[in-house]
Amino acid sequence: MASKRTTVRDLRRHNRSLLLSKLYFDGPLSRHELSQLTGLSAATVSNVTAELGDERLITEAGQVESDGGRPRVLLRVDPAYGHVAGVDIGETGVKVELFDLAMNRLATVEHPLPKAPDPATAVEQVTSGLREVFASTGIDESGVLGVGIGVPGTVEQGARVLVHAPTVGWDAVPLVALLEEAGVALPLFVDNGAKTQGQAEMWFGAGRGARHAVIALIGSGVGAAVVTDGTTYRGSTSSAGEWGHTTIAYGGQECRCGSHGCLEAYIGAGAVLARYRRARGKDITGEDEQAQFSALLAAAPKSKTAARVLDETAGYLGAGIANLINLFNPERIVIGGWAGLALGEQLLPNIRAAAGAHALRHPFSQTSIQLGSLGLDAVATGAATLPVADLLEQGATSRIAKPGAPDSDAA
């Protein structure tokens, strides 16, 4: 098959993307440093950065002394170029956050959701949350580059974006179409919540600097983002990473997905609480799942039953992590999600020990296991990086130029 011919426009987009990405992740940098780091000629760097500056995508960020010559001007991506919104549609609530282009958080709104929310209710809460963050900051939608959304299920990308989330009763839900019908006119990007959390931790958190990593999300549900050579592995239909529905016990506990013995049926927050209720013989105090989970963790120092349930959970989680180590040979495993962070803060040594007992010795010795560093905002933060990633990948050539700037798609 003949290779696709590279056009001048393709080359221009590549150069813009390369320089813009380097400044975004590693800036501020001088033009000389950009040339050294990217391999582009000094003339190309000068021309492209001048273009990006005219479009207000990048701005000067001070100067640095050079060896014997004039001080070199430092460049960075301008945080004020635009804004992005990140949405976390969880099983119990919706979180909407607004950021500038440097991912400084400007506003956060949270709305609860009923158990197994219908799509219409989730859409209503998302649109309401977006209106609220825009109103609270005074930011006009015209300055928003896009909205990223993390969802509790697999996302089928195509002409229609469909969300498959059996644990909340969603079957091929056309989420983007529903949001557009509800009046959201901004570009929309949808991905699995574990994958958006994974991108956030890889860009800004505990995964930064790793090329091969697994970012685990443990909350009501369980999932993972598998990163190989710096790229999230998606599989043939973007459903890769459903770690929670790998089998850990043949014929074991019934899972919410309808199968039996899934890892989620042993380490998902609801499953852990159900095991504690059965062992204790009565309900747990707390108005919601997170409060009950906190009560379980707090009871462990004084309750043998609570301690035993948590020790079992650490064992199951460690065994699940061992499977990830044996399958993917990552250099780093990051544990995130509200339940994962709570378990890890109290039981990380036990989890590591259980992983070591079940993993092959050599790959385990090369893997670090640590907690995520972005806390409970990781899914929404990662969702907000989806429009940023699109901007960087396209080199901003698909964006409408800022007022007063030249047409960024001109030849």
Side-chain angles (χ1 to χ4, degrees):
M1 181 182 293
S3 61
K4 180 182 176 182
R5 185 172 66 89
T6 300
T7 65
V8 172
R9 185 178 290 263
D10 293 333
L11 183 60
R12 176 174 174 269
R13 179 180 287 111
H14 171 267
N15 291 344
R16 285 171 62 98
S17 174
L18 184 60
L19 290 172
L20 196 57
S21 297
K22 186 58 67 175
L23 284 172
Y24 189 81
F25 292 111
D26 301 322
L29 296 166
S30 69
R31 290 176 177 84
H32 178 70
E33 289 172 319
L34 283 169
S35 181
Q36 289 184 318
L37 292 169
T38 63
L40 297 177
S41 69
T44 297
V45 170
S46 180
N47 290 336
V48 174
T49 55
E51 187 178 81
L52 294 172
D54 288 343
E55 295 166 20
R56 304 177 196 171
L57 258 164
I58 65 174
T59 187
E60 293 185 1
Q63 296 181 333
V64 63
E65 293 297 327
S66 62
D67 296 332
R70 291 185 302 172
R72 290 174 177 152
V73 174
L74 295 174
L75 302 173
R76 64 167 180 162
V77 172
D78 190 347
Y81 174 78
H83 298 85
V84 290
V87 179
D88 174 6
I89 300 179
E91 295 192 28
T92 59
V94 168
K95 178 180 288 187
V96 180
E97 299 191 324
L98 187 66
F99 302 83
D100 66 16
L101 198 55
M103 297 306 295
N104 296 306
R105 187 176 292 103
L106 306 177
T108 301
V109 169
E110 294 188 63
H111 292 298
L113 285 175
K115 189 173 182 180
D118 63 273
T121 300
V123 165
E124 181 183 351
Q125 298 293 31
V126 170
T127 55
S128 175
L130 288 171
R131 287 194 299 268
E132 289 177 59
V133 294
F134 296 149
S136 68
T137 57
I139 291 169
D140 189 86
E141 287 190 27
S142 62
V144 179
L145 302 176
V147 178
I149 304 168
V151 297
T154 61
V155 180
E156 183 180 345
Q157 306 285 357
R160 299 180 79 206
V161 176
L162 303 176
V163 178
H164 304 271
T167 55
V168 294
W170 291 15
D171 181 18
V173 171
L175 185 61
V176 168
L178 292 176
L179 285 165
E180 290 173 343
E181 289 171 9
V184 179
L186 294 164
L188 296 169
F189 304 81
V190 183
D191 207 345
N192 169 264
K195 290 185 175 69
T196 69
Q197 174 193 262
Q199 183 151 296
E201 291 286 357
M202 292 299 293
W203 280 24
F204 310 114
R208 187 171 171 85
R211 297 294 297 170
H212 301 272
V214 179
I215 317 297
L217 186 151
I218 305 164
S220 299
V222 176
V226 179
V227 178
T228 60
D229 200 23
T231 301
T232 300
Y233 178 72
R234 295 184 171 277
S236 62
T237 59
S238 294
S239 72
E242 287 295 328
W243 176 52
H245 299 293
T246 57
T247 303
I248 199 167
Y250 176 74
Q253 293 287 339
E254 183 177 4
C255 181
R256 298 183 303 164
C257 73
S259 186
H260 289 78
C262 294
L263 181 63
E264 184 176 301
Y266 292 86
I267 68 169
V272 176
L273 290 171
R275 197 161 66 248
Y276 182 46
R277 278 193 293 269
R278 289 194 299 270
R280 192 167 176 249
K282 58 181 178 179
D283 287 336
I284 312 162
T285 57
E287 60 184 16
D288 58 27
E289 195 171 70
Q290 293 193 33
Q292 292 173 16
F293 204 79
S294 295
L296 167 58
L297 290 166
K302 298 174 289 185
S303 166
K304 290 182 179 179
T305 301
R308 184 176 72 252
V309 167
L310 290 175
D311 187 58
E312 290 172 353
T313 303
Y316 287 126
L317 176 52
I321 288 173
N323 289 338
L324 293 174
I325 293 171
N326 292 343
L327 280 170
F328 299 110
N329 185 209
E331 61 193 283
R332 195 174 305 169
I333 288 179
V334 178
I335 300 172
W338 65 265
L341 291 171
L343 285 168
E345 287 170 3
Q346 195 157 317
L347 296 166
L348 190 56
N350 306 51
I351 295 167
R352 285 176 174 149
H358 291 86
L360 293 170
R361 185 174 60 183
H362 182 63
F364 176 75
S365 69
Q366 298 177 316
T367 305
S368 67
I369 302 171
Q370 58 196 81
L371 298 183
S373 61
L374 299 180
L376 303 182
D377 291 319
V379 172
T381 300
T385 68
L386 299 179
V388 177
D390 181 69
L391 180 83
L392 298 178
E393 182 181 354
Q394 298 299 325
T397 54
S398 64
R399 300 295 175 190
I400 298 173
K402 288 291 176 180
D407 180 0
S408 63
D409 235 354

